[in-house]
Amino acid sequence: MGEKTIQKDAKIMIEKLKKEGIDLVWDRLEKQEPQCGFCALGLSCRNCAMGPCRINPFGDEPQKGVCGADADIIVARNLARAVASGAASHSDHGRDLVEVLALVGKIKAYSVRDGEKLKRLAQEYGIDTSKSVEEIAHELAESMMEDFGSKKERIQMIDRAPKRRLEIWEKLRIIPRGIDREVVELMHRTHMGVDNDPVNILLQCMRASLADGFGGSMIATEVSDILFGTPQPKVSTINLATLKKNEVNVILHGHNPIVSEAVVEAASDEEITRLAKEAGADGINLAGLCCTGNEVLMRKGIPMAGNHLLQELVIGTGVVDVIIVDYQCIMPGIVDVAKCYHTAVVTTSPKAKFKGAIHIEFTPENADEKAREVLKLAIERFRKRNPDFIKIPDVKPMELMTGFSVEAIVKALGGTLQPLIDAIKEGSIKGVVGSVGCNNPKVRQDYGHTVLAKKLIENDVLVLDTGCAAVADAKAGLKRMGSANLAGDGLKKVCEALKIPPVLHVGSCVDNSRILVALCALANELGVDISDLPAAGAAMEWYSEKAIAIGTYFVSSGLLVVLGVPPPIHGSQLVLDVLTNKVEELTGGKFVVEPDPEKAAEVIIKHIDKKRKKLGI
Ligand code: SF4
Ligand code: MSK
């Protein structure tokens, strides 16, 4: 295995934990190698008890599963199950927020922070906005719940897409009817003996992914903004040096802001501060990880400790007193690492319990009280720190600018998208790229994200990033005040005028829906389709099924999407050809698999140039 990470803080911690004999994600990957070649190609199936089956990729027998399914069917079905899982994860997260919205006015911990957005959304859903905030919130929650079910012919926010895009989806019959419905139907189709036409399965993958992008994820983003405030630009810090030796450190990890927002509130409680001081600490220090971190960073400016591959390393600093998790992307391995220190891993959702963790269940009704309980536990654990195991990497916390919701971007532009459109037309901004997704121990951590982003901004391409990509770029200094210097002359001029960095943090994984909203608005302003825009997506270090769903809704929306880690589709020439080639004739988008971020940037720039030429700009 080559170098594991490009980040200095991570390197220091890997070295420390190695000396302490702790097994990390990279060690476990090494022990798994060689990983199963059938699975890597998507050629194994265990969908029924006549199997498990596998197809020989070299043309020898077996070429069919016991039921008669060939490579194309098996690969398409496996991909479909990944899309279904990814879309389900984002959407179930969205549903949890809708359930909190329905309780506004009846519970203490949560209220409406962005009343204007509540009204805008209510109008979009055809709700009378002359009523009280609570009544509007309840009615909006009810309508959004219908988006999940099977009562509607189409989900509400799909109509944010440009007219031409909707016509394409209508022709392909992939307009999502209900969020749960499309996910369930996709799972149904992958049962033995249901959909055995690989292309038909892929079309339903697109419909389920759109139910995620314009449904579950978009609902998650919009309702989080309503409940916790729509992000506005602010400055914060990032990397492991955000941990403080003399304070009680609490890490907020996972995806859904419901728990973390309550913890942020409770951390400024007088009783909690007093107890922390009595324990000998200077106070409570909160730091984020992964997308829960992105949520509280965007809205509250809470510093960020790191991304996906930092979750074990952060515990190894010996100063994390509690790591509080909600769900998604939380490695079971953190419980084993935490056992070697004084750190408590606290789970909070009945959906995501971990063997060996402490379970403190949060509900909308008890969130205040439970948030204080977790912080008290952190204070207790602070007393148990072992000074022999403490090491916070000696690096400077990196400054970053965050909080670029679409509303904030429009505000920075002076209230309309016109200055951005003008900049794109005159070429100072060549195009826009959404850089998204995870870390994967198979890729040198943060190398793919940061090399791609640097090369794009050098070539005057504005980067919008989310998730772990956003953390990588920020740690590399691409979101510092003054980072406009790293951009090409055109982009630099725009960023300096607007006082924004050339890489804009638009949020967490569900906030990829903000990228969809921005692109729809741009296309609508220009009177073109999304596929006509000089725009693209990239997920250079993805690992998660959610990233497959995101990539699929980007491609379904007409975007070129570069994947830095090959998806398990290479076992079927047909599926590979559809997703990397033929789909372009249907949606205008396609996948490109390119692990080298320099080459990935070249592919994207070429694509952007082609789109500009076609638009005559
Ligand atoms: Fe094998 Fe077909 Fe069953 Fe899959 S569904 S395990 S290919 S028999
Ligand atoms: S946290 S889905 S590792 S981006 Fe959203 Fe990071 Fe990927 Fe999880």
Side-chain angles (χ1 to χ4, degrees), residues 254-255 290-291 294 307-308 328-329 436-439 466-469 508-509 543-544 546-547:
H255 278 77
C290 284
C291 281
N294 278 314
N307 50 6
H308 187 58
Q328 298 169 18
C329 300
V436 313
C438 327
N439 290 142
T466 62
C468 292
S508 62
C509 293
Y543 91 88
S544 151
K546 291 176 289 171

Side-chain angles (χ1 to χ4, degrees), residues 101-267:
L101 185 67
L103 291 171
V104 162
K106 298 178 194 152
I107 46 169
K108 225 172 71 209
Y110 305 100
S111 58
V112 167
R113 295 265 175 82
D114 188 343
E116 252 177 60
K117 187 163 227 182
L118 173 72
K119 283 200 175 162
R120 271 207 316 279
L121 261 289
Q123 275 158 3
E124 193 173 348
Y125 274 78
I127 292 163
D128 174 10
T129 53
S130 64
K131 301 177 179 172
S132 72
V133 166
E134 285 75 21
E135 281 170 313
I136 301 172
H138 298 163
E139 281 190 38
L140 180 60
E142 286 288 324
S143 294
M144 285 178 161
M145 282 173 190
E146 283 180 13
D147 270 336
F148 283 89
S150 23
K151 265 171 97 175
K152 290 183 165 179
E153 278 173 21
R154 58 205 285 151
I155 57 171
Q156 182 61 46
M157 287 188 280
I158 200 76
D159 286 330
R160 291 181 173 186
K163 197 167 157 276
R164 274 159 63 189
R165 181 62 14 198
L166 288 168
E167 284 165 6
I168 291 168
W169 291 335
E170 264 154 21
K171 206 167 136 211
L172 291 171
R173 297 172 66 191
I174 58 170
I175 298 259
R177 298 154 293 180
I179 300 160
D180 290 350
R181 176 176 186 163
E182 304 309 351
V183 172
V184 169
E185 183 172 319
L186 191 51
M187 288 304 288
H188 175 195
R189 290 201 202 189
T190 63
H191 188 279
M192 202 299 280
V194 186
D195 200 351
N196 287 300
D197 177 338
V199 175
N200 208 38
I201 296 173
L202 296 178
L203 284 169
Q204 180 61 16
C205 286
M206 289 188 194
R207 182 146 62 169
S209 76
L210 290 170
D212 172 357
F214 286 84
S217 281
M218 208 169 271
I219 285 176
T221 297
E222 300 289 33
V223 177
S224 296
D225 285 356
I226 290 171
L227 291 171
F228 308 121
T230 301
Q232 294 301 323
K234 53 184 67 65
V235 174
S236 185
T237 50
I238 193 161
N239 71 29
L240 288 182
T242 56
L243 299 175
K244 307 224 172 93
K245 200 171 166 190
N246 299 329
E247 295 193 24
V248 176
N249 290 299
V250 177
I251 296 288
L252 306 166
H253 182 18
H255 278 77
N256 197 319
I258 296 175
V259 167
S260 50
E261 284 280 343
V263 177
V264 172
E265 284 293 314

